[in-house]
Amino acid sequence: MNSHIQIFDTTLRDGEQTPGVNFSFDERLKIAKQLEKWGVDIIEAGFPASSTGSFKSVEAISQALTTTAVCGLARCVKKDIDAVYEATKSAAKPRIHVFIATSPIHRDSKLLMSKEQVIASIKEHVSYAKNYFDVVQFSPEDATRTELPFLIECVQTAVDAGASVINIPDTVGFSYPKEYGEIFKTLQDSIKTDHDVIYSAHCHDDLGLAVANSMAAIENGAKRIEGTLNGIGERAGNTALEEVALGLYVRQDHYGNQTKINLAETKQTSDLIARFAGLRVPRNKAIVGQNAFSHESGIHQDGVLKNPETYEIMTPQLVGVKTTELPLGKLSGKHAFSEKLIALGYDVNPEEQKALFKQFKIIADKKKAVTDRDIHALIQGTEHEQNAIYKVETLQLQFVSNGLQSAVVVIKDQDGNTSQDSSIGTGSIVAIYNAIDRIFNRETELIDYRIDSVTEGTDAQAEVHVQIKINDQIVTGVGIDHDILLASCKSYVEAHAKYVAHSTTEEGMHS
Ligand SMILES: [Zn+2]
């Protein structure tokens, strides 16, 4: 049996349960493709029975991926299992993840089921799923707060019914490494089986122990780790998969087993998800934070210059942090620009390159030195706009009086239809946002507004993030531009575009 540590990514399922995170259909597809490139073994693409949107994106991801297994989540409910079957049937490797809560608090307060009823449900639904899937994964939700003898009984029932992957969720982030590791050891010692069973860890970071708990599971025989990029997820988030992958790599002397992750794609994957989620990675975040490889103190800098290994246990290149020294400028030509794109790892076709070069010239006219970060922002911004459902055609602002501003906004949809409206407000942003609300004819509440400078200097490009509430649904938008007002306008239009009236099942999304 293959003994590498499998990486099960749930960025699109558990990760999307992060408050305010709402990936669009296109973003989900892009993330899935990038995760395949990064080398994850399984992608949990969604919870198909929960909404039409989730069903459709699981279906599209199943069709798009060629090597990575695609998994859908299901409660112990037949229609959930049917939905996963329908949504994943075109996948190269379709998978299902069936779960039911097993802890006393969940049995008594949420499910209102006795132990016997829980056991009967596991038997019935794992067997049912096994009719459709070669590989069935079962999770006893809130496993770490489940009485150990009952947990063993649940797992034995699932294994007898045909489950070949047993995932142990620390659903509320309650466990600590020694305790969590011992659960894995006990299960492997106790479960009787005539087929191979893989044990999998799924941790939450409420006490900051998600990665440590996952590593303890590996030390105790787990062969699969579930988590998300950048550790995004409900509350304090999930296990940060990039930390697990690098932990196993850097300390292979201890852990032995490796993942199949393509480490050089780590930074790019993290960046993509941070951008689509609208959640900036903290600067000091391990592996992917902006400061993860910078040295401030003189002694450290001196050491690193003499020999990087004095203070670096891994290089930035290992995880795909790409930088080149020389900035471009006004006089840089097509050739220099093209060379720079290659050096930064972009594979752009000649036509796109022509359009990008024009944009680059505009930036070079405004900025003396066009740095690597400017180029990254340029490409990301352009890509972002190409995929936008609505484009901002015109934004006009006028000072009225007494601090009042008026704004005229014209937007264009993908079929070329334009809509426009105008409004006044107590400042430019308020005026712009009122005008956009009028275009979409919706009542909104602004939850969050944030400007990040993507690049260095006072002439930096701005990245504006907004979060708005429409009919109790929180949606986010991002806009990148040199002009802060235009970036603000773009981000707000994107948030409106992301609003979809959809229904989600109320219970049980919290495995
Ligand atoms: Zn979870």
Side-chain angles (χ1 to χ4, degrees):
M1 205 167 112
N2 198 334
S3 77
H4 81 279
I5 302 293
Q6 299 178 2
I7 293 295
F8 177 108
D9 182 280
T10 184
T11 302
L12 293 173
R13 205 275 302 164
D14 224 352
E16 211 194 24
Q17 288 174 214
T18 309
V21 172
N22 208 332
F23 299 124
S24 68
F25 181 84
D26 284 342
E27 288 169 348
R28 291 169 150 267
L29 259 182
K30 283 220 169 88
I31 290 172
K33 284 182 189 160
Q34 181 61 35
L35 288 170
E36 182 167 65
K37 211 168 160 192
W38 193 46
V40 309
D41 298 273
I42 306 108
I43 290 175
E44 186 163 55
F47 183 3
S50 69
S51 69
T52 322
S54 182
F55 183 94
K56 288 205 168 131
S57 56
V58 175
E59 192 177 41
I61 289 167
S62 298
Q63 286 157 4
L65 301 189
T66 52
T67 52
T68 312
V70 180
C71 180
L73 183 69
R75 292 167 299 183
C76 276
V77 173
K78 283 185 181 156
K79 75 167 176 58
D80 281 24
I81 297 167
D82 294 341
V84 175
Y85 172 71
E86 288 299 326
T88 61
K89 66 184 176 194
S90 54
K93 295 172 196 155
R95 298 284 185 268
I96 189 165
H97 179 189
V98 181
F99 78 99
I100 192 169
T102 52
S103 65
I105 187 165
H106 279 247
R107 292 191 316 256
D108 299 341
S109 312
K110 187 179 91 174
L111 297 176
L112 308 176
M113 284 168 87
S114 67
K115 283 184 176 174
E116 292 71 27
Q117 285 170 315
V118 170
I119 292 289
S121 184
I122 294 171
K123 188 172 176 189
E124 181 185 355
H125 295 100
V126 172
S127 311
Y128 184 75
K130 190 67 188 167
N131 292 329
Y132 298 106
F133 292 88
D134 295 338
V135 180
V136 176
Q137 164 167 332
F138 171 73
S139 283
E141 186 189 2
D142 203 17
T144 51
R145 293 193 299 172
T146 301
E147 311 91 323
L148 196 53
F150 183 60
L151 183 67
I152 294 170
E153 200 184 334
C154 291
V155 171
Q156 186 67 60
T157 305
V159 168
D160 290 344
S164 54
V165 182
I166 296 297
N167 179 52
I168 301 298
D170 185 23
T171 306
V172 292
F174 178 70
S175 205
Y176 54 89
K178 189 162 187 288
E179 175 186 72
Y180 191 61
E182 271 166 13
I183 295 174
F184 284 81
K185 199 168 178 314
T186 307
L187 287 174
Q188 289 163 91
D189 290 344
S190 319
I191 299 300
K192 293 168 193 70
T193 172
D194 53 7
H195 58 270
D196 285 335
V197 174
I198 286 178
Y199 288 89
S200 166
H202 178 111
C203 299
H204 279 269
D205 209 30
D206 297 71
L207 295 173
L209 290 171
V211 171
N213 285 342
S214 302
M215 300 310 259
I218 291 171
E219 288 171 332
N220 287 279
K223 287 279 188 266
R224 173 182 293 184
I225 300 299
E226 297 199 3
T228 61
L229 253 296
N230 304 338
I232 67 168
E234 207 146 0
R235 306 185 311 275
N238 288 58
T239 301
L241 290 176
E242 68 280 9
E243 295 179 17
V244 172
L246 269 294
L248 293 175
Y249 179 80
V250 172
R251 294 312 303 270
Q252 35 193 299
D253 59 318
H254 175 65
Y255 294 105
N257 287 331
Q258 290 296 299
T259 65
K260 287 193 173 164
I261 292 296
N262 176 7
L263 298 178
E265 285 290 325
T266 303
K267 183 73 170 95
Q268 205 161 336
T269 313
S270 160
D271 284 349
L272 185 84
I273 286 159
R275 201 161 63 251
F276 288 164
L279 293 174
R280 197 168 221 207
V281 173
R283 279 175 183 254
N284 64 334
K285 163 84 178 59
I287 319 295
V288 290
Q290 204 181 312
N291 291 354
F293 296 98
S294 51
H295 302 276
E296 194 60 39
S297 92
I299 295 174
H300 284 209
Q301 283 175 349
D302 181 54
V304 167
L305 285 174
K306 285 177 178 146
N307 179 353
E309 282 182 23
T310 47
Y311 289 100
E312 276 185 3
I313 57 169
M314 56 196 157
T315 62
Q317 291 76 25
L318 176 67
V319 298
V321 174
K322 291 190 179 87
T323 48
T324 56
E325 294 296 319
L326 292 173
L328 298 177
K330 223 173 165 169
L331 300 175
S332 306
K334 279 189 186 124
H335 184 71
F337 182 66
S338 159
E339 293 282 293
K340 176 67 98 179
L341 292 181
I342 294 166
L344 291 176
Y346 290 106
D347 181 15
V348 184
N349 70 43
E351 205 162 301
E352 285 172 336
Q353 212 171 103
K354 235 180 175 172
L356 284 171
F357 185 68
K358 262 192 203 157
Q359 292 290 319
F360 159 73
K361 278 298 198 189
I362 296 171
I363 296 174
D365 275 338
K366 293 181 188 163
K367 279 194 91 183
K368 225 193 303 179
V370 182
T371 64
D372 291 350
R373 285 175 68 195
D374 282 307
I375 305 284
H376 287 304
L378 168 68
I379 289 173
Q380 286 159 10
T382 309
E383 212 175 56
H384 198 81
E385 268 166 47
Q386 277 168 354
N387 295 310
I389 299 172
Y390 299 100
K391 285 193 171 62
V392 176
E393 277 275 291
T394 316
L395 169 64
Q396 270 173 14
L397 285 157
Q398 210 168 15
F399 177 70
V400 183
S401 65
N402 297 329
L404 283 181
Q405 295 274 343
S406 80
V408 177
V409 179
V410 184
I411 63 170
K412 195 169 163 184
D413 71 13
Q414 283 170 321
D415 300 325
N417 308 311
T418 55
S419 339
Q420 54 195 307
D421 217 317
S422 60
S423 183
I424 54 167
T426 48
S428 315
I429 306 269
V430 180
I432 295 168
Y433 287 6
N434 285 344
I436 298 169
D437 285 346
R438 287 170 65 102
I439 291 175
F440 287 95
N441 194 20
R442 288 177 190 148
E443 295 252 335
T444 59
E445 186 191 332
L446 185 65
I447 308 278
D448 194 18
Y449 172 90
R450 198 177 81 226
I451 306 174
D452 291 329
S453 78
V454 226
T455 56
E456 309 82 351
T458 48
D459 49 3
Q461 298 190 69
E463 186 173 299
V464 173
H465 293 260
V466 290
Q467 241 184 46
I468 56 176
K469 200 189 225 174
I470 309 172
N471 290 333
D472 284 336
Q473 192 188 327
I474 294 177
V475 285
T476 59
V478 186
I480 303 172
D481 203 276
H482 252 91
D483 180 336
I484 288 175
L485 294 174
L486 196 49
S488 303
C489 183
K490 286 177 183 172
S491 66
Y492 202 74
V493 168
E494 184 179 274
H496 266 287
K498 275 195 178 179
Y499 170 77
V500 272
H502 74 297
S503 59
T504 306
T505 45
E506 294 289 306
E507 35 170 344
M509 289 185 66
H510 304 288
S511 181

